[in-house]
Amino acid sequence: MPLRILYFAWVRERIGLDGETVAPPDEVIDVASLIGWLAGRSEAHAAALKDRARIRAAVDDQFATPETGIAGAREVALFPPVTGG
């Protein structure tokens, strides 16, 4: 199932995209494994997502933890802990 990924603030700047639609493999089951999988997509993704303690997530507009499952989700947003206006 396609999953929309949204990037905000410096995560967006480092990746060079504000979003993308992906189809993660079956073993990607939660936010942590999604971030790990996304980090392997390009050098820019790897650089932006290397410090996972600094990445926050929302799954279908709900704040999420690394253990939050993504099965059936339509959208995951990744952003730094503090974003400016």
Side-chain angles (χ1 to χ4, degrees):
M1 175 180 211
L3 179 64
R4 183 78 180 145
I5 309 295
L6 302 175
Y7 303 112
F8 292 94
W10 55 257
V11 177
R12 175 187 62 221
E13 293 167 11
R14 290 179 185 171
I15 291 175
L17 300 170
D18 50 4
E20 59 186 320
T21 300
V22 299
D26 291 342
E27 63 267 20
V28 175
I29 59 171
D30 55 21
V31 169
S33 60
L34 176 65
I35 292 172
W37 179 75
L38 288 168
R41 291 178 57 83
S42 74
E43 289 183 23
H45 285 80
L49 302 172
K50 71 178 178 185
D51 186 0
R52 297 182 189 169
R54 296 185 64 209
I55 302 293
R56 299 295 180 262
V59 175
D60 289 337
D61 298 323
Q62 300 293 314
F63 285 107
T65 68
E67 297 80 21
T68 300
I70 61 167
R74 292 173 285 112
E75 181 180 275
V76 175
L78 300 176
F79 49 90
V82 176
T83 60

